Amino acid sequence: MIERVKVAVVGVGNNTSALVQGLALYRQSGSLVGIRRPMIDGLGVGDIGVVAAFATSAEKIGRDLTEAIFLAPNNFPRLDCDLPRAGVPVTKGLVDATGVPRVAAALAGAEVLLYSAPSGRPETARAYAEAAHHAGVAFINTTSDPVARDPHLLGRFEAAGLPLLGDDLASQFGTSVLHNTLLRLLQERGLTLVSSYQVNLGGTEDFRNLVDNPNTKKQSKLNALSEGHPAADQPAADRPAAGTVEVAPLGYLPHLRSQKVAHLNIEAQGWGETAVSLDVKLTVHDPSGAAGVNIDLVRIAASALRDGRGGYSAEVTSLLKSPPGTAV
Amino acid sequence: MIERVKVAVVGVGNNTSALVQGLALYRQSGSLVGIRRPMIDGLGVGDIGVVAAFATSAEKIGRDLTEAIFLAPNNFPRLDCDLPRAGVPVTKGLVDATGVPRVAAALAGAEVLLYSAPSGRPETARAYAEAAHHAGVAFINTTSDPVARDPHLLGRFEAAGLPLLGDDLASQFGTSVLHNTLLRLLQERGLTLVSSYQVNLGGTEDFRNLVDNPNTKKQSKLNALSEGHPAADQPAADRPAAGTVEVAPLGYLPHLRSQKVAHLNIEAQGWGETAVSLDVKLTVHDPSGAAGVNIDLVRIAASALRDGRGGYSAEVTSLLKSPPGTAV
Amino acid sequence: MIERVKVAVVGVGNNTSALVQGLALYRQSGSLVGIRRPMIDGLGVGDIGVVAAFATSAEKIGRDLTEAIFLAPNNFPRLDCDLPRAGVPVTKGLVDATGVPRVAAALAGAEVLLYSAPSGRPETARAYAEAAHHAGVAFINTTSDPVARDPHLLGRFEAAGLPLLGDDLASQFGTSVLHNTLLRLLQERGLTLVSSYQVNLGGTEDFRNLVDNPNTKKQSKLNALSEGHPAADQPAADRPAAGTVEVAPLGYLPHLRSQKVAHLNIEAQGWGETAVSLDVKLTVHDPSGAAGVNIDLVRIAASALRDGRGGYSAEVTSLLKSPPGTAV
Amino acid sequence: MIERVKVAVVGVGNNTSALVQGLALYRQSGSLVGIRRPMIDGLGVGDIGVVAAFATSAEKIGRDLTEAIFLAPNNFPRLDCDLPRAGVPVTKGLVDATGVPRVAAALAGAEVLLYSAPSGRPETARAYAEAAHHAGVAFINTTSDPVARDPHLLGRFEAAGLPLLGDDLASQFGTSVLHNTLLRLLQERGLTLVSSYQVNLGGTEDFRNLVDNPNTKKQSKLNALSEGHPAADQPAADRPAAGTVEVAPLGYLPHLRSQKVAHLNIEAQGWGETAVSLDVKLTVHDPSGAAGVNIDLVRIAASALRDGRGGYSAEVTSLLKSPPGTAV
């Protein structure tokens, strides 16, 4: 029988809530609903267990992980399953590099460190990566901060036989992949794009933060629509023209909680220059989209670690927005 | 300079209106808007010319083609271009096989016969195919009546070095391809389909006829969503489950004229069995979708004829719903 | 303290399920969510109790009402509340007038008979009305069959001091009232209607029946949009033109269960003849819409009975599609 | 025969373009499409003529009004009508009070001054009002700057027999009136509001300005939804609860030009606390919505002037967001 993968997580936000609750739900039900890959290298979803968790919020530190995931500002829903106490108290996380030895010690026994904190703190991300390296643990960076894109750091993980996967998680199902797919379909069918927009509304802390600093995300969205993943493997000529696609400001609407709502419109022309029009509304839980990819990253990292394959693994490129080699 | 392809059309309905007007528009403007393939074997859109037209409506017979396309019940809009008289009077079409010699004589000088009459009259379709064979003209069947799927007839065209392309035109952009693409995207991302529906509304004679005989079309839609084109090249395991996708009755709404409006809904589940929901409204002119594919079929047929390649051409399979070898 | 109103129901379908479960939910929670009128003549929602139920389905007869409401083809969801056994076994209902004495006897102790069977059986509806008259019980007809519109019958109820309320329940919130409100708003603001459509999709037996016999319902919808309730109190000049509003065929989509989904579109013109466009999707549980009105009809009937006011009560006109005086 | 009303306009933006073009269109066609009130006090739409126009843009000054309305950043479409030269050159507008005598002189012969410049310059608005007062001309303030709400100024217009109408134009058909109507309908039917949002997208300079200063507009929207016009005449208890309605940030999407697109969502509960859901997309030309109200304000002002009724007229309250007596 396969040994359960021991995962430590940094960040006890909505994404961790979705991961921890989903693990419980699938273990109890045996369901495969919503799971992209039931088995990866012999590891099922139920073969993953969280053994440590780090956070900086005073309210969360010391609480059992299964309680801490429901504390504000988290607002991912309580899934319909039993959630037995994890026996994993939330540990005080890193603030700067001075805490690295302490965190490395706390990682004893873990195989994978999943870095799932908010983006925008590159020094913290790298300090955790150092701790993982020190403790001989694989590291996954789901934030847009450059970690796997740092060739020096990647080289050190590779040399140590430790997997380093990142950066910037691509959601299992989100606005970009949907918008991209529709624009590409129109193009394949020979329609000419006239204009297109997307509006994204949500109620999480992530949305609140992005509303305060909108430009980065908007540019990132436009990149994703024009030349980013998952289209980056297509020749440039086949990609939709970026100039005609507009991304409206994000809307932070607290009542949506962890749901994201996106409105998309595409106006195009077909034969005879006649109008073709598409209006789409998408509703999805963002944290589920993250957890549904994290469960794959964790299994790929664990499998690589057990096999002694250090560094980056090309297998995860489609799961990331900014893999090694893309712009920092 | 390439010689213009001489096309005869059977049926002076909306689809022929879209084709004839589109040819004029593109020739005048040089625009490539809405054109899927600017050049096919050296033939541009402007290299196609209609030299004969057959219809059965007393009002249309004898009128110049450029007038007949605007007569009721046609309701495709007048495009924004000049439409000089074609000098092509609409000829009385076939009713039964006795007219074959007359039609064959009228095809003298034509290279391609585009059969674009309503579906549901297989004897008429085959009589026109006989006339084309007799006259040494390539034949394209855009209806669902079996013509290219008749192995004996196909063999005779092949032997004579005459192209025979069909059956059943797949629209350049319609509900099926959109619905299929979205269902497939969900599946690729690992979401589990809960339920889905589509409703199609339109104002053409085609819609009126289909409303009177809904079952055929509904089944055909379900086929298209489960295993038909353009997904037939995918392994069965990758196709969406047909049982959960429902197609509501077509609605004939005269005020929509040649526009089709489709409402699609998809309910799915992602990680943690959380809900993912998609609502789509598509607005498109069905006759444009037909003309945008006919323009490719005509050029492929002409090129094959000029090259002496008779019979079916695998190149057109993606443009058809029922190519040779599929069920009659 | 007020005495609880004793209600007998005919028909143990989705509407009765919604009523019975809703009564339990509100009694337990004290909630007023979704209740239009918390108190009517001193009667709260919790002051209503079901004491008898009639049905014709062999599976339902003899079962406790709280079990029978969940039997197929019923598909209204199980609400989130405890549902203690009612102690009310479902009684064999009337087939023809010979059963009237038996039903009248079974009504002993009841104050109101709520006729909530499917529409289309006028003889049955009147036989139950006779039984109610015989037993000295108020009668409510929620079907489109003419009962309260029968002046002779109404006169007899009036003479006996027994309330008779009907016919044809107007839903608490449905497509007609929404479409009507939007058309009226456009008109008030001086916009000119170009065209409009509605499509209704649902998964109940009602929908299945209406799909088999679509014309009646479609005409009734158009009536409602042009001159029916709730707009009948407006001068004809203020009503939207019926000719430009189209109702697409109903779609029976079993997976929707008791949900109704309606898609509405309105195209209009404002100043300078510029386009104004509205697209609406409505999702609602039809049986809730019925129960939310039945709870008011029952209280009004009970109050009138207790006060000795027989016959029709003008107070309920806004709750009905075909009150006395409208066409049979 | 009635004498044509002589109107001077301040601001040569989209709203003035819609007004000027609409006047030409209706005069030529005799159409009443999209006109709320064909006649006001004997004045038809065609009885209005623009005799002077003021602007501050160097490009517009000196150009004929019928040319100036198409200069950037104006992006209201060219309507489908002839637009003969007006013979009205755009005059240099006011910057501060020193220009009042010059403008007053330029108003000689005018009856109404329609102030249709961007909001946010209260001193300029009042300087134009002074010029109108000086010249004996009625004044209409369509901006949110307080003019008619200034009791002293209003008193002086009243004493002089000059109409003063304002402030802040309510669109003929916009998001607020639609959202309000839907929320009120739900309430009337006894549904309980759970949550609601609106998102507004547009491509005009107004939108660009509002995106730069979003809070004012958002608050104003919330006011309109909770207690502002057009609902201010309803008792407070009948108004929707403001707390549950959220207005997302405006999105400036240049490709929309003068179209506004609004997405509305309403989640509510009916009987049994079951879900009711409404999704709406509205597309409308904002400048048409302004011109469709301005045409009424101008006729009411002219009629009052001709009758010697100075000051405010209660008749216009429903056309304004901030009439006299509301908060400045």
Side-chain angles (χ1 to χ4, degrees):
Chain A
M1 190 189 168
I2 207 158
E3 196 190 350
R4 188 174 281 190
V5 175
K6 296 185 191 72
V7 179
V9 294
V10 178
V12 182
N14 277 327
N15 293 0
T16 296
S17 177
L19 181 65
V20 167
Q21 291 192 72
L23 288 174
L25 182 150
Y26 289 117
R27 204 169 285 141
Q28 283 161 36
S29 66
S31 153
L32 291 175
V33 164
I35 292 177
R36 196 171 183 177
R37 299 179 61 187
M39 289 299 263
I40 296 181
D41 294 335
L43 293 166
V45 164
D47 294 323
I48 307 304
V50 178
V51 299
F54 301 90
T56 51
S57 148
E59 289 76 26
K60 288 175 182 162
I61 295 169
R63 302 286 287 266
D64 190 76
L65 178 58
T66 54
E67 294 168 6
I69 56 178
F70 296 111
L71 298 177
N74 288 14
N75 54 13
F76 184 75
R78 199 173 278 270
L79 297 185
D80 187 18
C81 66
D82 290 331
L83 191 63
R85 262 183 91 82
V88 176
V90 175
T91 305
K92 186 170 189 300
L94 279 174
V95 182
D96 55 40
T98 63
V100 169
R102 176 177 58 81
V103 165
L107 288 176
E111 296 172 87
V112 177
L113 180 55
L114 174 67
Y115 184 71
S116 186
S119 292
R121 301 173 200 152
E123 294 314 314
T124 306
R126 290 147 88 98
Y128 275 107
E130 288 296 343
H133 187 270
H134 201 81
V137 166
F139 190 77
I140 300 169
N141 174 35
T142 69
T143 73
S144 59
D145 299 321
V147 176
R149 279 172 295 169
D150 175 340
H152 179 68
L153 197 57
L154 185 56
R156 288 173 54 215
F157 269 79
E158 202 164 348
L162 297 173
L164 173 57
L165 307 182
D167 302 323
D168 210 357
L169 188 82
S171 176
Q172 188 182 1
F173 195 80
T175 316
S176 295
V177 70
L178 175 62
H179 205 164
N180 237 323
T181 298
L182 292 172
L183 291 173
R184 195 140 296 125
L185 174 64
L186 262 74
Q187 196 177 38
E188 277 168 28
R189 308 297 286 192
L191 305 190
T192 299
L193 183 65
V194 174
S195 66
S196 186
Y197 69 76
Q198 66 168 253
V199 198
N200 292 278
L201 310 170
T204 62
E205 278 302 285
D206 273 3
F207 260 82
R208 188 204 288 270
N209 293 334
L210 289 164
V211 166
D212 293 347
N213 184 18
N215 293 328
T216 324
K217 181 72 174 185
K218 183 173 172 178
Q219 190 52 48
S220 147
K221 283 272 179 190
L222 285 169
N223 286 349
L225 289 170
S226 55
E227 50 167 350
H229 282 276
D233 52 340
Q234 288 208 312
D238 291 353
R239 294 173 201 155
T244 45
V245 179
E246 296 180 327
V247 178
L250 291 171
Y252 171 61
L253 302 181
H255 82 262
L256 291 178
R257 304 180 59 85
S258 75
Q259 276 197 316
K260 181 169 69 184
V261 174
H263 295 281
L264 276 67
N265 168 263
I266 299 176
E267 301 293 334
Q269 289 179 297
W271 173 264
E273 304 189 349
T274 54
V276 177
S277 194
L278 264 180
D279 280 289
V280 183
K281 183 186 183 189
L282 165 67
T283 309
V284 66
H285 280 275
D286 264 359
S288 296
V293 173
N294 279 335
I295 193 68
D296 291 357
L297 290 171
V298 162
R299 289 182 288 171
I300 291 166
S303 175
L305 180 80
R306 291 175 179 188
D307 290 356
R309 290 178 278 113
Y312 185 71
S313 167
E315 184 183 359
V316 300
T317 299
S318 68
L319 308 178
L320 299 168
K321 290 186 195 144
S322 307
T326 57
V328 171
Chain B
M1 189 189 169
I2 207 158
E3 196 191 350
R4 188 174 282 189
V5 175
K6 296 185 192 70
V7 179
V9 294
V10 178
V12 182
N14 278 328
N15 293 359
T16 296
S17 178
L19 181 66
V20 168
Q21 291 193 72
L23 288 173
L25 181 150
Y26 289 117
R27 203 169 284 140
Q28 283 163 36
S29 66
S31 154
L32 291 175
V33 165
I35 292 177
R36 195 170 184 178
R37 298 180 59 187
M39 290 299 262
I40 296 182
D41 294 335
L43 293 166
V45 164
D47 294 323
I48 306 304
V50 178
V51 299
F54 301 90
T56 52
S57 148
E59 289 76 26
K60 289 175 182 163
I61 295 168
R63 302 284 289 267
D64 191 76
L65 178 58
T66 54
E67 294 168 8
I69 56 177
F70 296 112
L71 298 177
N74 288 14
N75 53 14
F76 185 75
R78 201 173 275 273
L79 297 185
D80 188 18
C81 65
D82 290 331
L83 191 64
R85 263 182 89 80
V88 175
V90 175
T91 305
K92 185 170 189 300
L94 280 175
V95 181
D96 55 41
T98 64
V100 168
R102 176 177 58 80
V103 166
L107 288 176
E111 297 172 89
V112 176
L113 179 57
L114 175 66
Y115 184 72
S116 186
S119 291
R121 301 171 200 156
E123 295 313 312
T124 307
R126 289 146 88 99
Y128 275 107
E130 288 296 342
H133 187 270
H134 201 81
V137 165
F139 190 78
I140 300 169
N141 173 35
T142 68
T143 72
S144 58
D145 299 322
V147 176
R149 278 172 296 169
D150 175 340
H152 179 66
L153 196 58
L154 184 58
R156 289 172 54 215
F157 268 79
E158 200 163 350
L162 297 172
L164 173 58
L165 307 182
D167 303 321
D168 209 359
L169 187 85
S171 176
Q172 188 181 2
F173 196 79
T175 315
S176 295
V177 70
L178 175 62
H179 204 162
N180 236 325
T181 299
L182 292 172
L183 292 174
R184 193 141 298 124
L185 174 64
L186 262 72
Q187 194 176 39
E188 277 169 28
R189 308 298 285 194
L191 304 191
T192 299
L193 183 64
V194 173
S195 66
S196 186
Y197 70 77
Q198 64 169 256
V199 198
N200 291 278
L201 310 170
T204 63
E205 278 300 286
D206 273 3
F207 260 82
R208 188 205 287 269
N209 293 334
L210 289 165
V211 166
D212 293 346
N213 184 17
N215 293 328
T216 323
K217 182 72 174 183
K218 184 174 173 179
Q219 189 52 49
S220 148
K221 282 274 181 189
L222 286 169
N223 286 348
L225 289 171
S226 54
E227 52 169 347
H229 282 276
D233 52 341
Q234 288 209 315
D238 290 354
R239 294 174 201 154
T244 44
V245 179
E246 296 179 326
V247 178
L250 291 170
Y252 171 61
L253 303 182
H255 82 262
L256 291 178
R257 302 179 63 84
S258 75
Q259 276 197 317
K260 182 170 69 185
V261 175
H263 294 281
L264 275 66
N265 168 262
I266 299 176
E267 302 292 334
Q269 289 178 299
W271 173 263
E273 304 190 347
T274 55
V276 176
S277 192
L278 265 180
D279 280 289
V280 183
K281 183 187 182 189
L282 164 68
T283 309
V284 66
H285 280 276
D286 263 359
S288 296
V293 173
N294 280 334
I295 193 67
D296 292 356
L297 291 171
V298 162
R299 289 183 287 172
I300 291 166
S303 175
L305 180 81
R306 291 176 178 186
D307 290 355
R309 290 179 275 113
Y312 184 71
S313 168
E315 185 183 358
V316 300
T317 298
S318 69
L319 307 178
L320 298 168
K321 289 185 196 145
S322 307
T326 56
V328 172
Chain C
M1 190 187 168
I2 208 158
E3 197 190 350
R4 190 174 279 190
V5 175
K6 297 185 191 70
V7 179
V9 295
V10 178
V12 181
N14 277 327
N15 292 1
T16 296
S17 178
L19 182 66
V20 167
Q21 291 192 71
L23 289 174
L25 182 150
Y26 289 117
R27 204 169 284 142
Q28 283 162 37
S29 66
S31 153
L32 292 175
V33 164
I35 293 178
R36 197 171 183 178
R37 298 179 61 188
M39 290 298 263
I40 296 182
D41 295 335
L43 294 166
V45 164
D47 294 322
I48 308 303
V50 178
V51 298
F54 302 90
T56 51
S57 148
E59 288 77 26
K60 289 175 182 162
I61 294 169
R63 302 285 289 265
D64 191 76
L65 178 57
T66 53
E67 295 168 6
I69 56 177
F70 297 111
L71 298 177
N74 288 12
N75 53 13
F76 184 76
R78 200 173 277 270
L79 298 184
D80 188 18
C81 65
D82 290 330
L83 191 63
R85 262 183 91 80
V88 176
V90 174
T91 305
K92 187 170 189 297
L94 280 175
V95 182
D96 56 39
T98 64
V100 169
R102 177 177 57 81
V103 166
L107 288 175
E111 296 173 88
V112 177
L113 179 56
L114 175 66
Y115 184 72
S116 186
S119 292
R121 302 173 199 152
E123 296 313 314
T124 307
R126 289 147 89 99
Y128 274 107
E130 289 295 342
H133 187 271
H134 201 79
V137 166
F139 190 77
I140 299 170
N141 173 35
T142 68
T143 73
S144 60
D145 299 320
V147 175
R149 278 172 296 167
D150 175 339
H152 179 67
L153 197 57
L154 185 58
R156 287 172 56 215
F157 268 80
E158 202 164 348
L162 296 173
L164 174 58
L165 307 182
D167 302 325
D168 210 357
L169 189 83
S171 176
Q172 189 182 2
F173 195 80
T175 316
S176 295
V177 69
L178 175 62
H179 205 164
N180 235 325
T181 298
L182 292 172
L183 291 173
R184 194 139 299 125
L185 175 65
L186 262 73
Q187 196 177 37
E188 277 169 28
R189 309 297 285 193
L191 304 190
T192 299
L193 183 65
V194 173
S195 66
S196 185
Y197 70 76
Q198 64 169 255
V199 198
N200 291 278
L201 311 170
T204 61
E205 278 301 286
D206 273 3
F207 261 81
R208 187 204 286 269
N209 292 334
L210 289 164
V211 166
D212 292 346
N213 183 19
N215 293 329
T216 323
K217 181 71 174 186
K218 184 173 173 178
Q219 189 52 49
S220 147
K221 283 274 180 191
L222 285 169
N223 286 348
L225 288 170
S226 55
E227 50 167 350
H229 282 276
D233 52 339
Q234 288 208 314
D238 290 353
R239 294 174 200 154
T244 43
V245 178
E246 296 179 327
V247 178
L250 291 171
Y252 170 61
L253 302 182
H255 82 263
L256 292 178
R257 303 180 60 84
S258 74
Q259 276 198 318
K260 182 170 68 184
V261 175
H263 294 282
L264 276 66
N265 168 261
I266 299 176
E267 301 293 333
Q269 288 179 299
W271 174 263
E273 303 190 348
T274 54
V276 177
S277 193
L278 265 180
D279 280 289
V280 184
K281 183 186 183 189
L282 165 68
T283 310
V284 67
H285 280 275
D286 263 359
S288 296
V293 173
N294 280 335
I295 193 67
D296 292 356
L297 290 171
V298 163
R299 288 183 288 171
I300 291 167
S303 176
L305 180 81
R306 291 177 179 187
D307 290 355
R309 289 179 278 113
Y312 185 70
S313 167
E315 187 183 359
V316 300
T317 298
S318 68
L319 307 178
L320 298 168
K321 290 186 195 144
S322 306
T326 56
V328 172
Chain D
M1 189 186 168
I2 207 158
E3 198 191 348
R4 188 174 280 189
V5 175
K6 298 185 191 70
V7 179
V9 294
V10 178
V12 182
N14 278 328
N15 293 0
T16 295
S17 178
L19 182 66
V20 168
Q21 291 192 73
L23 288 173
L25 181 150
Y26 288 117
R27 203 170 285 143
Q28 284 163 37
S29 66
S31 153
L32 292 176
V33 165
I35 292 178
R36 194 172 184 178
R37 298 179 62 186
M39 291 297 263
I40 297 182
D41 295 335
L43 294 166
V45 164
D47 295 322
I48 307 303
V50 177
V51 299
F54 301 90
T56 51
S57 148
E59 289 76 25
K60 289 176 182 162
I61 294 168
R63 302 286 288 268
D64 190 75
L65 178 59
T66 54
E67 295 169 6
I69 56 177
F70 297 111
L71 298 177
N74 288 13
N75 54 13
F76 185 75
R78 201 173 277 271
L79 297 185
D80 187 19
C81 65
D82 291 332
L83 192 62
R85 263 182 90 81
V88 176
V90 174
T91 305
K92 184 170 190 298
L94 280 174
V95 181
D96 56 39
T98 63
V100 169
R102 176 177 58 80
V103 166
L107 288 175
E111 295 171 89
V112 177
L113 180 55
L114 175 67
Y115 183 72
S116 185
S119 292
R121 302 172 200 153
E123 295 314 312
T124 307
R126 288 146 88 99
Y128 274 108
E130 288 296 342
H133 187 271
H134 200 80
V137 166
F139 189 78
I140 299 169
N141 173 35
T142 69
T143 72
S144 59
D145 299 322
V147 176
R149 278 172 296 169
D150 176 339
H152 179 66
L153 197 58
L154 185 58
R156 287 173 55 214
F157 269 79
E158 200 163 351
L162 296 173
L164 174 57
L165 307 182
D167 302 324
D168 209 358
L169 189 83
S171 176
Q172 188 182 1
F173 196 79
T175 316
S176 294
V177 69
L178 175 62
H179 205 162
N180 236 323
T181 298
L182 291 172
L183 291 174
R184 194 140 299 124
L185 174 64
L186 263 72
Q187 195 176 37
E188 276 169 28
R189 308 298 285 193
L191 304 190
T192 299
L193 183 64
V194 174
S195 66
S196 186
Y197 69 76
Q198 64 169 256
V199 198
N200 291 278
L201 310 170
T204 63
E205 279 300 286
D206 273 4
F207 260 82
R208 187 205 287 271
N209 292 334
L210 288 165
V211 166
D212 293 347
N213 184 18
N215 292 328
T216 322
K217 182 71 173 183
K218 183 174 173 178
Q219 189 52 49
S220 149
K221 282 274 182 190
L222 285 170
N223 285 347
L225 288 171
S226 54
E227 49 167 350
H229 282 276
D233 52 340
Q234 288 208 315
D238 291 353
R239 294 173 201 154
T244 44
V245 179
E246 296 180 327
V247 178
L250 291 170
Y252 171 62
L253 302 181
H255 82 263
L256 291 178
R257 303 179 62 84
S258 75
Q259 277 198 318
K260 181 171 68 185
V261 175
H263 295 281
L264 276 66
N265 168 263
I266 299 176
E267 301 294 333
Q269 289 179 297
W271 173 263
E273 304 189 347
T274 55
V276 176
S277 193
L278 265 179
D279 280 289
V280 183
K281 182 185 183 191
L282 165 68
T283 309
V284 66
H285 280 276
D286 262 359
S288 296
V293 173
N294 279 334
I295 193 66
D296 292 356
L297 291 171
V298 162
R299 289 182 287 170
I300 291 166
S303 175
L305 181 80
R306 290 175 180 188
D307 290 355
R309 290 179 276 113
Y312 185 71
S313 168
E315 187 182 358
V316 300
T317 298
S318 68
L319 308 177
L320 298 167
K321 289 187 197 144
S322 306
T326 57
V328 172

